Amino acid sequence: MLSATRVLFSQNLVSKSFNSAAVLHRSSPADTVKPAEFFGSAKKAVLIGVPGAFTPGCSKSHVPGYLKHFEELKGKGVEKIGCVAVNDAFVMDAWGKDLKVEDKITMLADPQGNFVKELGLDFDASAALGGIRSKRFALVLENGKITKAFVEPNNTGLSVSLAENLLKEL
């Protein structure tokens, strides 16, 4: 078992930038954002990945933890927080409203999973969630480059990518 004080750090993502051609969606398929530009404009940012909108771990622990610790993250220099899932834009928008993320977390849809696949952060969740999904992770970016990557060892757990643990590493 992985203790909450030991953070699993994914070295293969460090120093990488997002593909400049990658596109994610906010409130609708027409509301696009290029992650390279969106996160590149922040001195420090956090991107969390979740297996699915409205799933119990994502809705009760993972995203709410980032909302709870939003001010502390800002105090550590985090200017932007994004949340990506392999879902459509309408689902991500509705989920953000349900969680009351307001302007604290930008909800980002990766409808075909291309963005997470390119990062190697996808897994086959066909049995439980119907297809390819995002691993649960937290990335710290500085000026658009990944400086720290925390990926759950079993893809969906709630340990290394939690806000409480990320705060210790900032």
Side-chain angles (χ1 to χ4, degrees), residues 5 9-10 25 30 33 36 41 43-44 71 73 76 89 103 112 148 163:
T5 58
F9 190 71
S10 183
H25 308 272
V33 62
S41 67
K43 189 171 181 180
K44 187 181 284 185
E71 291 301 326
L73 290 160
K76 297 240 182 188
D103 62 347
Q112 290 86 33
K148 295 182 181 184

Side-chain angles (χ1 to χ4, degrees), residues 50-105:
V50 297
F54 292 103
T55 58
C58 305
S59 294
K60 294 178 183 174
S61 299
H62 202 205
V63 177
Y66 282 86
L67 289 170
K68 177 182 175 184
H69 295 288
F70 179 76
E71 291 301 326
E72 290 170 80
L73 290 160
K74 267 181 62 177
K76 297 240 182 188
V78 174
E79 297 172 12
K80 290 183 179 183
I81 302 173
C83 174
V84 67
V86 180
N87 281 110
D88 66 70
F90 301 113
V91 168
M92 290 300 287
D93 186 51
W95 188 40
K97 289 175 182 168
D98 185 67
L99 292 174
K100 298 175 177 57
V101 300
E102 298 166 355
D103 62 347
K104 294 178 180 174
I105 299 175

